[in-house]
Amino acid sequence: MIPGTIAFTAGIVLLQLQDALPHPLWLSLLPPLIILFWRVSRARLLTAAVLGFFWALLHAHWTLLHSLPAQLQGRNLTAVGTVVSLPVVTGDRSRFEFNIERLSIDGKQYPSPGKVRLGWYHTPPVLIPGEQWQLLVRLKQPHGFMNPGGFDYEGWLFRNGIRATGYIRASPLNQRIAASPPGYGLQRLRLKIAALIQRGTGDPEVAGLLKALVIGDRSGLSAEAWELFRRTGTSHLIAISGLHIGIVAGLAYLLWGWLWRRSERCLLLLPAPQAGALAALLAGALYAALAGFSVPTQRALIMLAIGLGANLSKRVLQPPRSLFSALLAVLVIDPFAVLSPGFWLSFVAVGVIILGISGRVGRPSIIETWGGAQWSIAIGLSPLLLAWQGTIPLLAPFINLLAVPLFSLLLIPLVLAATTISLIWEPIGLPLLNLAGSALDLVQLSLAAVPALPLRLSSVANGLPGYTWVAAIVGVLLLLAPRGVPGRWLGLVMLMPLLLYPPERPQPGAVWFDLLDVGQGLSAVVRTRNHLLVYDAGPRFSDSFDAGTAVLLPFLGVRREERVDLVLLSNGDADHQGGFPSLQRRISIDRVLSGEPARVKSHKAQHCRAGMEWQWDGVRFQVLHPAQGRRWQGNDASCVLLIENAAGRILITGDIEAKAERVLLKAGQERLKTDLLLVPHHGSLSSSTSAFVAATAPDYALVSSGYRNHYGFPKNEVVDRWRGQGARVLNTTWSGTIQFRLIPGRGISGPTLYRCQHRRYWNARSAAATCME
């Protein structure tokens, strides 16, 4: 059973690695494969792997079938459907999931994309899960940033069954059709609890923590809070998952079993262990339901049901068999689960605990058992954590030694009890809820001191040789082996290549240039042998989301960059410096230059002026604009930077428009000739004049713009102008991060297009043309 489950899982993983799906006709082989699996035992492992591949293929085609037709993007659509999630309200915006049942334009019906994610701006009404609404919406197909180290938003939408995103237009058509039916009573209860917590807690951050623990709503947690929990290795304590379900089920098992033993009549009906198991399963199911049956809680509930099912049936189920039974059940229900890091972390965590306790003799103390479990988890998850987030906080096992019992025995029971009492009688429950919130706030304040300590391991997870991962896995198995196994100490040695593999750096005189995908904004990273320059930091999208946190910092983390020599912010507009506050909070910056330093929130910011020049590691940097002698503002104040080495030239132009282009041409056209050029102002008609295009004459013209941005950048006329000059035009919208390497003696290497290299079958189809060029 265990080898078959492993083979089935491998087949599912193989399908998720594809950049395009095999034709649906292949699914006709599924029935004979099932028969072959049961009838031919010798081919069972191979058949299990193929079955896993085809099972995932079936789900993938079914999910992609419900997609928004491309011709409907950006048009006013009348949608009739149901609110199917808790609305997330921030300021004057509400975001929620909406299951569209009917979609039309001027009375003409179109296929529904199913579940979509909508935003309602400007004082939206109170939305109740289960309500039916008619809405005037504008939708677009799923699209997200594609950068090294970044979050795959398109993949997240896909595995959550969301096939379009959009917003609601102001219109008299927007009206509630029907109230929430009884079947949505659980969702209404979750909404009531959220409102109760919000009302009873004065601090929004504390309210966010409480809602995360009670109903699984993590929307109230700030990016800083998430970073704190990630850096201390305690994020699993805030996201409702196996630990929380296990805590609630365990408490129910002990409490109900103890009460059951108090009655002889009850014991005659059912033994106390079985009664406790039923209570534990019911409590776990209720808590998972309260958390909205999120994917992690579904996995935990399945594992709990299998374990308790063996108890109820009075069967002895060995821990490894129980684990793989749960794994098989989860993947049969949801083959997309393998796309979630939480899936691997949860199953591997249980697996390494089982491995850590197997083969042990004697009866260790509670402290030894608990310490051993934390050791097993810390060692066993280290390769996964390095692959996922590129760093491991070394203090995490010691923090969790105290934090997990604190949450298990005190905080989670207190939070749930306070919430239950508040629902029944607020005058008693709300003070308890405030007490629980204060305790959580105290824990958060205690954790805040930990990230300041430089005690963490980092690794260059992307691009490591395969042998480093193989050695790391073997090393983990050795370290978790029982005492007495010879050579256990070699496990540490075998982990060293993963931890100590040096990050790749340019050779002296070389330049690495990366234009990041930040949407409608700009951010580029320039690396020489010993220096790092960041040109612009991308846009800010909301109070809790900006390109600095979402794109730039993860990219620098993948490269193991811990300091920036120079941040050059072209101008003061939000799409160029919106991510800078997040950047300067999290990384050391030596110097800041800007065309509009007064608009930059940094005491270090200085004016960039034409004539500034410096050399790093044999690479020459020149500021060509803004010219001295006049006051520049707005787009034309942008810093224009020329980078030059023996292999070629890069011209970064910011947002300059025709006026600044004329000044640059007048100052000397010969210095504008370049190999790579960042198209001014995202491809606006106010820039890229014919004279400027002719003078620069690049081989590559690079555009940084957002998907279906409301400006319509880059304009078709501008793209045609650059192509007419002989340049290949690349846009981050369809390419993701665009990378070039200028290496003396070897010329210009690239472009390397991140979206094309890491494309999966759920990613935007429209990028295919760029990848085929």
Side-chain angles (χ1 to χ4, degrees):
M1 180 263 184
I2 292 178
T5 301
I6 294 173
F8 186 76
T9 305
I12 290 176
V13 171
L14 181 61
L15 186 279
Q16 309 306 344
L17 295 175
Q18 304 306 305
D19 62 356
L21 291 177
H23 196 278
L25 284 177
W26 284 100
L27 293 172
S28 60
L29 297 176
L30 198 52
L33 277 170
I34 296 174
I35 296 173
L36 182 66
F37 176 79
W38 288 112
R39 299 293 297 271
V40 182
S41 58
R42 291 184 178 180
R44 192 156 288 169
L45 282 182
L46 178 60
T47 311
V50 178
L51 276 173
F53 185 90
F54 277 17
W55 184 241
L57 179 64
L58 175 64
H59 280 253
H61 274 300
W62 177 256
T63 301
L64 293 177
L65 183 66
H66 301 86
S67 296
L68 180 74
Q71 67 270 23
L72 298 185
Q73 294 188 102
R75 300 178 66 182
N76 287 342
L77 308 171
T78 303
V80 175
T82 304
V83 178
V84 293
S85 73
L86 291 184
V88 177
V89 181
T90 52
D92 64 346
R93 183 187 72 177
S94 180
R95 188 172 291 279
F96 60 99
E97 293 173 12
F98 190 68
N99 188 53
I100 296 178
E101 294 147 17
R102 297 194 305 275
L103 192 67
S104 63
I105 301 177
D106 299 326
K108 183 180 179 181
Q109 299 293 318
Y110 287 89
S112 166
K115 188 165 63 172
V116 302
R117 196 170 189 230
L118 295 177
W120 198 330
Y121 300 86
H122 310 303
T123 60
V126 176
L127 298 170
I128 308 295
E131 289 181 335
Q132 272 202 323
W133 280 79
Q134 175 182 273
L135 301 170
L136 185 68
V137 301
R138 281 195 178 177
L139 300 176
K140 62 182 179 180
Q141 294 175 340
H143 193 98
F145 308 142
M146 288 289 283
N147 300 282
F151 176 64
D152 183 4
Y153 181 58
E154 292 173 39
W156 181 85
L157 291 173
F158 174 77
R159 68 176 179 260
N160 284 281
I162 299 171
R163 299 308 305 139
T165 61
Y167 63 95
I168 297 165
R169 302 269 292 169
S171 170
L173 291 174
N174 298 332
Q175 53 185 302
R176 186 183 287 107
I177 296 175
S180 178
Y184 280 83
L186 182 62
Q187 288 281 47
R188 291 199 300 272
L189 176 61
R190 296 180 70 223
L191 189 63
K192 182 178 180 181
I193 290 173
L196 179 71
I197 291 173
Q198 201 71 41
R199 186 172 65 251
T201 311
D203 188 342
E205 189 68 39
V206 172
L209 286 169
L210 287 170
K211 285 191 286 185
L213 283 176
V214 178
I215 59 174
D217 178 12
R218 293 172 285 174
S219 61
L221 292 176
S222 65
E224 290 77 13
W226 269 120
E227 179 60 21
L228 171 63
F229 293 124
R230 187 186 72 84
R231 285 179 175 271
T232 54
T234 53
S235 54
H236 63 101
L237 297 175
I238 302 301
I240 296 179
S241 57
L243 173 66
H244 303 76
I245 301 294
I247 290 169
V248 171
L251 290 174
Y253 181 90
L254 294 173
L255 180 60
W256 193 251
W258 181 82
L259 291 173
W260 199 264
R261 290 185 182 92
R262 307 280 74 80
S263 169
E264 292 184 8
R265 181 176 297 179
C266 290
L267 288 172
L268 290 173
L269 291 172
L270 191 69
Q274 278 71 43
L278 284 173
L281 187 58
L282 178 61
L286 287 174
Y287 192 26
L290 202 59
F293 282 118
S294 62
V295 174
T297 60
Q298 291 176 28
R299 291 196 298 265
L301 192 57
I302 290 171
M303 295 178 72
L304 180 68
I306 290 174
L308 293 177
N311 183 297
L312 290 169
S313 61
K314 299 180 181 179
R315 294 177 59 189
V316 177
L317 192 62
Q318 294 298 323
R321 190 174 183 85
S322 175
L323 176 67
F324 280 93
S325 297
L327 175 64
L328 180 61
V330 167
L331 292 180
V332 168
I333 295 171
D334 179 19
F336 299 151
V338 297
L339 298 173
S340 168
F343 166 85
W344 298 103
L345 291 174
S346 59
F347 276 103
V348 172
V350 175
V352 297
I353 290 174
I354 293 172
L355 182 63
I357 63 175
S358 63
R360 302 301 194 263
V361 295
R363 298 188 62 182
S365 65
I366 294 177
I367 295 177
E368 288 176 327
T369 301
W370 180 242
Q374 290 303 312
W375 161 258
S376 298
I377 291 173
I379 294 298
L381 294 186
S382 57
L384 276 177
L385 289 173
L386 285 172
W388 177 30
Q389 61 188 29
T391 184
I392 300 175
L394 292 180
L395 292 179
F398 304 100
I399 295 170
N400 280 296
L401 276 174
L402 300 174
V404 173
L406 178 64
F407 272 76
S408 304
L409 303 177
L410 178 62
L411 292 179
I412 292 177
L414 176 60
V415 166
L416 294 178
T419 304
T420 304
I421 295 171
S422 296
L423 289 170
I424 300 170
W425 193 14
E426 283 193 21
I428 299 296
L430 287 183
L432 283 175
L433 204 57
N434 273 298
L435 176 63
S438 299
L440 284 170
D441 192 37
L442 183 61
V443 169
Q444 192 173 6
L445 289 173
S446 301
L447 292 175
V450 177
L453 301 174
L455 296 175
R456 64 179 187 272
L457 290 175
S458 299
S459 175
V460 188
N462 285 13
L464 285 180
Y467 73 82
T468 60
W469 296 106
V470 173
I473 293 170
V474 174
V476 165
L477 295 175
L478 276 174
L479 289 171
L480 295 179
R483 291 179 183 175
V485 172
R488 289 178 68 216
W489 62 273
L490 288 173
L492 286 174
V493 177
M494 300 188 80
L495 279 172
M496 288 302 103
L498 181 64
L499 299 174
L500 301 180
Y501 197 89
E504 191 181 3
R505 290 285 185 258
Q507 66 189 61
V511 174
W512 290 0
F513 175 79
D514 292 89
L515 179 61
L516 304 183
D517 178 12
V518 294
Q520 188 54 39
L522 176 62
S523 184
V525 177
V526 181
R527 155 59 77 181
T528 66
R529 179 68 179 181
N530 298 306
H531 295 85
L532 182 70
L533 181 147
V534 172
Y535 186 101
D536 283 344
R540 181 184 183 188
F541 303 99
S542 69
D543 292 340
S544 58
F545 182 58
D546 61 62
T549 301
V551 177
L552 193 48
L553 284 166
F555 175 83
L556 296 177
V558 165
R559 293 277 184 86
R560 268 170 63 180
E561 305 286 4
E562 297 182 349
R563 59 181 288 273
V564 177
D565 295 275
L566 173 62
V567 172
L568 202 159
L569 301 172
S570 59
N571 60 55
D573 291 347
D575 58 332
H576 293 260
Q577 63 129 348
F580 177 67
S582 297
L583 182 68
Q584 69 174 343
R585 279 196 301 268
R586 296 260 303 278
I587 201 165
S588 174
I589 298 172
D590 290 350
R591 191 181 181 195
V592 180
L593 293 176
S594 175
E596 296 183 292
R599 297 178 63 191
V600 177
K601 295 179 180 178
S602 170
H603 66 279
K604 295 181 178 180
Q606 301 172 341
H607 268 288
C608 67
R609 292 295 188 190
M612 286 183 170
E613 187 175 336
W614 66 94
Q615 284 205 8
W616 285 344
D617 310 311
V619 180
R620 185 185 181 197
F621 294 79
Q622 284 182 277
V623 176
L624 305 184
H625 185 80
Q628 307 240 10
R630 67 172 73 181
R631 185 178 180 183
W632 297 91
Q633 291 181 322
N635 292 336
D636 277 331
S638 296
C639 304
V640 176
L641 181 67
L642 177 65
I643 305 167
E644 183 178 10
N645 72 352
R649 300 174 120 208
I650 305 170
L651 185 63
I652 308 178
T653 58
D655 270 358
I656 61 169
E657 298 184 339
K659 181 180 178 181
E661 290 180 3
R662 287 194 296 270
V663 171
L664 284 167
L665 290 167
K666 187 176 179 180
Q669 296 189 23
E670 67 285 348
R671 64 178 183 168
L672 297 180
K673 179 69 177 73
T674 188
D675 301 285
L676 313 175
L677 178 137
L678 193 62
V679 172
H681 199 196
H682 320 286
S684 164
L685 286 173
S686 63
S687 307
S688 298
T689 59
S690 298
F692 187 75
V693 171
T696 54
D699 296 322
Y700 291 91
L702 313 179
V703 180
S704 179
S705 69
Y707 178 64
R708 297 187 64 84
N709 63 85
H710 64 274
Y711 302 105
F713 294 159
K715 297 296 185 180
N716 291 333
E717 300 95 316
V718 172
V719 172
D720 291 342
R721 199 175 297 158
W722 287 104
R723 286 176 175 165
Q725 182 61 43
R728 180 183 174 187
V729 179
L730 295 173
N731 190 342
T732 55
T733 298
W734 307 121
S735 304
T737 292
I738 304 171
Q739 180 189 85
F740 287 91
R741 297 187 176 186
L742 282 66
I743 306 172
R746 291 170 52 187
I748 299 177
S749 170
T752 301
L753 310 180
Y754 188 81
R755 181 177 283 274
C756 300
Q757 280 200 329
H758 296 82
R759 180 178 161 196
R760 295 291 179 263
Y761 64 85
W762 58 78
N763 291 132
R765 300 293 90 196
S766 304
T770 297
C771 298
M772 293 296 291
E773 287 183 18

